[in-house]
Amino acid sequence: MESALDRIDRMVIRLFALVGESVSGATLALLSGDREAAKDLADRDEVVDAVYHDIEQLTLQQLTVAGITAPSDLRFLVTVMRMLPDLERNGDLAEHIARRAARGLGGELSARSRGLIQRMGEVAIHMWRATADAYAERLPLSTSAVDTLDDEMDDLHVSLTMEVVAGAMPLPVAVELAMVARFYERFGDHAVNLAKRVAMLAPPTDPVI
């Protein structure tokens, strides 16, 4: 029979997958102009929220009712509780991008801004997959590598902001695009936080003698 901790672990992996699929799909919908796909992705945030609340409830139950005392189990439960806000928030950010895609923002972007958004989406997914895989496999995760990707995300955010203020697009489009740029930048920040949490779950490595 599946234990409560195994169930929590399985649901966290599912939450990683849902959020990753959402940000990847939202980027594609924004750039392709697929409004129907964007609407479906925006609605998926309700599923993300439901899984988030299920994990939170079960984790709190294990911490406060079950009397778990093993240090490794306690570390796992506390780490999950600390991860949940970043997971949930990145689901919200993917939803925000999808909702703007559903309103047809992608069709009004300049060529340069489209290229920058495409790269921001690629960087976001690269960060997310590295963190999600490290969590699922309990692998050591190089947080410095994730930090480097986040630095690229920050640079892309600056470049996209400069494109916004250049005045090549109508003001309403520029305002919406500035928000999208901020969503990707914040996604990177939350991914960095998660990477630091996930790194704590990897088993210690033997020191080199």
Side-chain angles (χ1 to χ4, degrees):
M1 180 179 294
E2 184 181 47
S3 71
L5 268 62
D6 288 340
R7 183 182 174 198
I8 291 169
D9 186 49
R10 176 173 53 79
M11 289 193 295
V12 171
I13 292 171
R14 184 185 179 207
L15 192 54
F16 264 113
L18 285 169
V19 174
E21 290 167 4
S22 291
V23 72
S24 177
T27 302
L28 179 61
L30 180 64
L31 295 175
S32 67
D34 190 338
R35 296 192 183 193
E36 290 304 315
K39 291 176 183 177
D40 291 341
L41 286 164
D43 292 340
R44 183 186 293 184
D45 190 56
E46 293 182 3
V47 178
V48 171
D49 288 343
V51 175
Y52 162 80
H53 287 300
D54 286 346
I55 297 171
E56 182 181 49
Q57 183 178 23
L58 185 55
T59 303
L60 284 172
Q61 181 185 36
Q62 294 303 301
L63 282 168
T64 60
V65 176
I68 291 175
T69 58
S72 60
D73 291 343
L74 288 170
R75 182 172 64 251
F76 168 73
L77 292 170
V78 170
T79 300
V80 166
M81 286 301 297
R82 290 175 173 173
M83 289 168 56
L84 282 176
D86 289 304
L87 283 162
E88 191 269 342
R89 183 55 184 151
N90 270 359
D92 289 342
L93 293 170
E95 179 201 6
H96 296 335
I97 295 169
R99 292 204 180 281
R100 281 154 179 82
R103 295 200 290 267
L105 177 64
E108 302 182 76
L109 302 180
S110 67
R112 176 169 169 74
S113 66
R114 290 176 63 84
L116 290 168
I117 287 174
Q118 181 175 1
R119 182 54 189 163
M120 292 177 94
E122 292 169 352
V123 171
I125 290 303
H126 193 173
M127 296 174 75
W128 200 252
R129 285 177 178 166
T131 305
D133 289 347
Y135 174 83
E137 302 297 332
R138 299 296 192 269
L139 297 172
L141 176 64
S142 172
T143 55
S144 62
V146 177
D147 284 337
T148 298
L149 286 167
D150 189 51
D151 288 341
E152 181 180 355
M153 184 72 84
D154 290 341
D155 291 341
L156 290 164
H157 177 235
V158 171
S159 297
L160 189 51
T161 301
M162 292 176 64
E163 177 70 9
V164 167
V165 301
M169 293 168 284
L171 182 58
V173 175
V175 170
E176 289 293 292
L177 182 56
M179 293 296 297
V180 168
R182 179 61 174 164
F183 297 150
Y184 281 107
E185 190 266 342
R186 290 299 298 151
F187 188 98
D189 289 344
H190 289 295
V192 168
N193 290 341
L194 280 166
K196 293 175 180 177
R197 305 293 189 196
V198 167
M200 298 175 62
L201 293 175
T205 56
D206 294 332
V208 177
I209 300 177

